[in-house]
Amino acid sequence: MKVWPGQPYPLGAVYDGSGTNFSIFSEVAERVELCLFDEKGNENRVDLKEVTGMCWHGYFPEVGPGQLYGFRVHGPWDPEGGHRCNPSKLLVDPYTKAMVGEVRWDEALFPYRFQDGPEVRNESDSAPFVPRCVVHQPFFDWSGDRRLQLPLTQTVIYETHVKGFSVRHPGIPPELRGTYAGIGHPVAVEHFKKLGITAVELMPVHQFIHDKHLVDKGLRNYWGYNSIGYFAPHNEYAADKRPGGAVAEFKQMVKSLHQAGIEVILDVVYNHTAEGNHLGPMLSFKGIDNAYYYRLTEDSRYYMDYTGTGNSLNMRHPHVLQLIMDSLRYWVLEMHVDGFRFDLASTLARELHDVDRLSAFFDIIQQDPVINEVKLIAEPWDVGEGGYQVGNFPPVWSEWNGKYRDCVRDFWRGQEQTLGEFAYRFTGSSDLYEDTSRLPFASINFVTAHDGFTLHDLVSYNEKHNEANGEENGDGESHNRSWNCGAEGPTDDPDILALRARQKRNFLTTLLLSQGIPMLLGGDEFGRSQQGNNNAYCQDNEISWYDWENTDDNMLEFCSRLIHFRHNHPAFRRRRWFQGRAIHGTEVKDIAWFTFDGESMAEEDWGEVFAKSLGIFLNGESIPNPNPKGEPVSDDKFYIIINAHHEPLDCTLPGTEWAQRWVRELDTIEGWAEEEEVIEAGGTIKIEARSLLVLRDAS
């Protein structure tokens, strides 16, 4: 086989139309073998003898797309020094763009023998049990496709799972269900369009593995937060099972969604890998350069673990930062995705131990001309000390607002809290973001997400029910801020069912009318349940899969109209903070708050922890910032009445200086008003218990 010197960069396997350049970084390696496999599994090992800047490389003019490969790295076995090189282990290329097969659990995958402990090297060959890397075909007809770059103020995110969304969908061909092609299928796209969402946020699609302890129990890593390949789309989600087929199928999915005006955001897991701690398997980084890629403790045999998964990537080293940035740029430039949600993002900010907002990772993101133009969303916490960092990320970032979730859940279940807290969350959480020059869309507002109860379960269960996970219901969050409305789980009681339906409408309406970016958990629009499981990470079955045969069509219609209502009214998606200032020449403000007797809220009213009701005036005529085309923005005036109390209340509307008369747009008892019901200013209106009413100015 011909081998030319090749180039150290780009890393990975790169086919240029004639041949393939291979390159892998390792500071500790003493020898690196490229392992090429034929269709029968026979292995041909070739030494990469060229070394430039600690990158081992070679160009193979006879190797093209479809070639299967891996690496073996020779070097020191010195666990006490942090080095774990073991050439008997076939290693996944950190830069591979595609894989075939999956991990098949065997003792040979571990760098030590179980009976001897982690200090004694295991010489068994792991190749029969490791997925193969693939030299992929990089050429694809995008037909002019490009990132949509939709403004954040127009964004409505739909968090979903590639497999779970379509695996039971009767309108999608069986061979495409549960795949990238299923997400991009016209039936799926039509659902997204009808619903009104502008972006799908896909749970992890980087190649991941199913943990041994789950497989041993007959379970699987359904969520996928266990990455081993940061460039490769997970091959199980591809209908096209040919080597490298997942790459083209993923691209076609993105292209189809873009044609429908829908962006693609990826949930990415750069904080740790699937190799676990010192007792974990050797699949890639651990055997390539363990001490370089991972954060180690003072005793270098062990790993720093800010993620609860056994290890943390070492963000202090330039090649680790390069790996992540190369991965992000690849998904933007080559796969055309529109943004990223970073799992446990606080881990990425740990330079030494404390979370550092000015860490190298954020500096690099800030100056990168590709990455700083896409949507960047942080999950602003990890499991380490000081890891809860809501409100502390840099200006170009948006954040999952956990304080919004907790406040809104508590408010609607009747827990005592101040109205001031609710007001901050409803108006974009300026208390968290304004002081650092951030804007309302820094807040990703959500009531439910993949991690926790679905919306249906939030109003149907007081307690988690995770028995199917095999951990005696000890896993998952115990403090869910949920309320079952009078019965635990399924019930035939019509009063309880009506209350649950109303509570779901209360949550959805609050979410879609709040300033900031709303995120809807996939399936919440039609009442998806996980039977009370709030940690379904290992349930690759009917517990997690969307049940399209039993949807709440009334709820789906309500949710869809609500999202489109938000799109049609910029008063609910302002680009700047409310100021509460009077408009020139009048006493009317851009926002005002009222008690139920129609009086403006006094300072002492905000601190009342028992208060559960208020009126909110939004003046669409006082939106100071133009739209993206520089045109003035104007909208209707709205009056929102919220009653989270357990009894109905009589509400007096504000006087004529705010509006002469109002019409009902929607309420969470009856739904959308089909006929205009005029209500005079200063009049009294009855608001049912635990309900929300939206009025529009009809003057």
Side-chain angles (χ1 to χ4, degrees):
M1 180 172 291
K2 295 180 181 178
V3 184
W4 301 347
Q7 301 294 328
Y9 293 103
L11 292 162
V14 179
Y15 174 67
D16 61 7
S18 299
T20 303
N21 191 82
F22 292 89
S23 182
I24 183 172
F25 165 82
S26 176
E27 188 176 64
V28 74
E30 297 166 356
R31 177 188 171 200
V32 173
E33 293 176 295
L34 172 67
C35 307
L36 302 174
F37 295 87
D38 63 21
E39 63 278 2
K40 296 181 180 180
N42 299 312
E43 179 180 358
N44 179 24
R45 303 183 187 181
V46 182
D47 276 87
L48 296 179
K49 297 182 178 179
E50 294 289 332
V51 186
T52 306
M54 294 174 287
C55 294
W56 301 70
H57 55 89
Y59 182 87
F60 292 70
E62 299 171 355
V63 171
Q67 174 67 58
L68 307 183
Y69 74 99
F71 291 106
R72 297 180 187 270
V73 174
H74 301 253
W77 172 263
D78 178 20
E80 291 187 357
H83 304 304
R84 297 179 180 271
C85 294
N86 187 342
S88 65
K89 309 307 171 190
L90 183 70
L91 304 175
V92 169
D93 176 8
Y95 277 76
T96 187
K97 308 304 189 298
M99 294 191 207
V100 295
E102 62 180 359
V103 168
R104 297 190 297 116
W105 287 106
D106 186 89
E107 186 176 355
L109 290 168
F110 295 80
Y112 62 94
R113 291 194 178 277
F114 295 162
Q115 65 182 21
D116 298 328
E119 309 300 319
V120 180
R121 193 161 79 171
N122 179 358
E123 303 293 344
S124 299
D125 186 6
S126 70
F129 312 102
V130 178
R132 305 291 190 253
C133 304
V134 182
V135 177
H136 86 296
Q137 169 60 266
F139 308 113
F140 180 79
D141 181 11
W142 282 104
S143 302
D145 177 83
R146 63 183 63 188
R147 288 184 291 110
L148 299 178
Q149 295 184 300
L150 298 177
L152 285 166
T153 51
Q154 298 177 14
T155 298
V156 178
I157 296 173
Y158 184 87
E159 188 198 25
T160 192
H161 187 282
V162 170
K163 181 176 182 179
F165 176 84
S166 67
V167 69
R168 301 176 70 186
H169 201 303
I172 294 176
E175 67 274 14
L176 302 183
R177 295 174 189 169
T179 69
Y180 303 119
I183 292 285
H185 189 273
V187 169
V189 174
E190 178 59 26
H191 178 76
F192 299 142
K193 291 290 289 181
K194 179 181 178 182
L195 187 58
I197 59 98
T198 68
V200 291
E201 180 176 303
L202 300 178
M203 290 177 66
V205 297
H206 289 168
Q207 187 73 39
F208 62 86
I209 70 168
H210 299 282
D211 314 63
K212 184 178 186 301
H213 75 276
L214 293 178
V215 174
D216 289 346
K217 292 191 293 185
L219 300 170
R220 291 163 62 81
N221 191 329
Y222 174 70
W223 284 356
Y225 291 93
N226 209 22
S227 302
I228 198 62
Y230 291 125
F231 295 77
H234 189 65
N235 55 28
E236 289 182 281
Y237 297 159
D240 186 345
K241 299 302 181 184
R242 294 173 296 178
V247 179
E249 186 174 324
F250 185 95
K251 291 178 177 179
Q252 184 59 51
M253 174 197 72
V254 173
K255 182 178 175 181
S256 297
L257 290 169
H258 280 180
Q259 288 172 344
I262 298 169
E263 295 185 316
V264 178
I265 298 171
L266 300 188
D267 190 341
V268 291
V269 190
Y270 294 115
N271 52 72
H272 73 281
T273 78
E275 293 186 298
N277 61 16
H278 63 290
L279 299 177
M282 179 174 285
L283 304 171
S284 182
F285 307 94
K286 188 178 289 186
I288 294 170
D289 199 329
N290 183 68
Y292 196 99
Y293 279 108
Y294 291 116
R295 293 285 298 271
L296 305 179
T297 65
E298 290 186 13
D299 184 340
S300 296
R301 294 175 297 174
Y302 306 112
Y303 298 80
M304 296 294 293
D305 182 11
Y306 296 115
T307 64
T309 58
N311 64 58
S312 303
L313 277 176
N314 192 348
M315 305 303 297
R316 296 177 295 178
H317 283 175
H319 275 88
V320 178
L321 290 171
Q322 179 187 358
L323 170 75
I324 295 174
M325 295 304 297
D326 286 349
S327 170
L328 292 171
R329 280 190 293 267
Y330 174 79
W331 287 97
V332 173
L333 296 176
E334 299 297 327
M335 307 295 263
H336 287 208
V337 304
D338 303 275
F340 304 95
R341 178 265 190 190
F342 292 79
D343 178 64
L344 300 180
S346 293
T347 300
L348 306 175
R350 293 184 183 271
E351 288 269 322
L352 297 174
H353 175 73
D354 294 337
V355 176
D356 180 5
R357 207 175 117 198
L358 300 178
S359 69
F361 174 73
F362 295 112
D363 292 343
I364 293 173
I365 290 283
Q366 184 78 38
Q367 61 79 42
D368 189 278
V370 174
I371 308 305
N372 65 18
E373 291 188 356
V374 303
K375 292 177 172 65
L376 301 172
I377 302 170
E379 182 185 33
W381 49 78
D382 63 19
V383 301
E385 181 182 358
Y388 192 78
Q389 293 291 318
V390 172
N392 291 329
F393 278 70
V396 297
W397 289 72
S398 298
E399 302 175 14
W400 272 27
N401 190 343
K403 292 187 177 181
Y404 180 95
R405 171 200 60 205
D406 296 345
C407 173
V408 172
R409 286 187 178 192
D410 278 345
F411 183 80
W412 280 113
R413 70 187 181 116
Q415 290 296 109
E416 289 191 348
Q417 63 179 18
T418 65
L419 288 178
E421 168 81 358
F422 179 82
Y424 272 126
R425 303 301 153 243
F426 187 78
T427 57
S429 296
S430 60
D431 58 326
L432 299 178
Y433 305 114
E434 187 174 20
D435 287 346
T436 53
S437 299
R438 301 166 77 184
L439 298 170
F441 45 74
S443 179
I444 304 294
N445 299 328
F446 66 104
V447 176
T448 55
H450 71 272
D451 188 0
F453 282 141
T454 65
L455 183 60
H456 179 83
D457 291 354
L458 184 68
V459 301
S460 304
Y461 295 90
N462 284 348
E463 309 295 336
K464 62 185 180 182
H465 295 270
N466 300 350
E467 290 80 7
N469 294 358
E471 300 179 42
E472 299 181 346
N473 206 32
D475 62 304
E477 176 61 60
S478 296
H479 182 43
N480 293 284
R481 295 179 163 88
S482 61
W483 178 44
N484 64 21
C485 298
E488 188 73 357
T491 180
D492 294 326
D493 188 311
D495 292 334
I496 292 176
L497 292 175
L499 177 56
R500 288 178 178 177
R502 185 160 77 249
Q503 284 287 77
K504 286 187 280 188
R505 291 191 291 268
N506 287 334
F507 280 123
L508 288 172
T509 306
T510 303
L511 176 66
L512 270 301
L513 300 189
S514 295
Q515 304 297 324
I517 302 174
M519 184 184 78
L520 181 70
L521 173 63
D524 278 355
E525 71 272 25
F526 57 73
R528 181 173 73 92
S529 174
Q530 293 179 168
Q531 293 84 58
N533 193 319
N534 74 348
N535 189 36
Y537 76 102
C538 56
Q539 299 298 330
D540 190 0
N541 51 47
E542 286 82 359
I543 290 176
S544 299
W545 299 342
Y546 297 17
D547 182 2
W548 294 97
E549 299 283 3
N550 296 288
T551 60
D552 183 340
D553 293 335
N554 290 331
M555 186 176 175
L556 177 58
E557 177 65 19
F558 178 85
C559 186
S560 177
R561 289 187 65 173
L562 189 59
I563 293 174
H564 286 283
F565 180 75
R566 176 185 175 89
H567 288 316
N568 293 333
H569 292 287
F572 301 108
R573 45 183 179 83
R574 293 166 56 103
R575 295 174 55 211
R576 295 288 187 266
W577 301 109
F578 288 106
Q579 300 299 322
R581 294 185 304 226
I583 299 174
H584 181 69
T586 76
E587 292 302 318
V588 181
K589 302 175 182 178
D590 58 359
I591 186 170
W593 307 84
F594 294 87
T595 63
F596 256 48
D597 58 9
E599 298 295 327
S600 294
M601 293 272 287
E603 192 63 36
E604 57 269 21
D605 295 326
W606 292 110
E608 298 290 359
V609 296
F610 60 82
K612 297 292 178 288
S613 309
L614 75 162
I616 308 170
F617 170 82
L618 299 179
N619 192 344
E621 297 177 354
S622 70
I623 301 175
N625 301 104
N627 66 18
K629 296 181 180 180
E631 301 164 337
V633 176
S634 183
D635 197 6
D636 297 307
K637 298 175 184 177
F638 292 95
Y639 193 68
I640 303 168
I641 307 172
I642 298 175
N643 180 21
H645 192 52
H646 65 276
E647 293 180 343
L649 294 172
D650 290 327
C651 176
T652 301
L653 300 183
T656 55
E657 66 270 27
W658 303 93
Q660 295 292 322
R661 60 189 61 85
W662 302 91
V663 293
R664 185 188 301 261
E665 280 283 348
L666 73 97
D667 68 66
T668 55
I669 299 290
E670 301 293 336
W672 293 88
E674 302 304 331
E675 297 181 2
E676 286 198 351
E677 174 191 349
V678 178
I679 307 168
E680 299 294 331
T684 299
I685 184 171
K686 184 177 180 179
I687 306 299
E688 296 296 334
R690 296 191 175 94
S691 69
L692 184 153
L693 170 65
V694 179
L695 303 176
R696 177 174 51 81
D697 177 21
S699 301

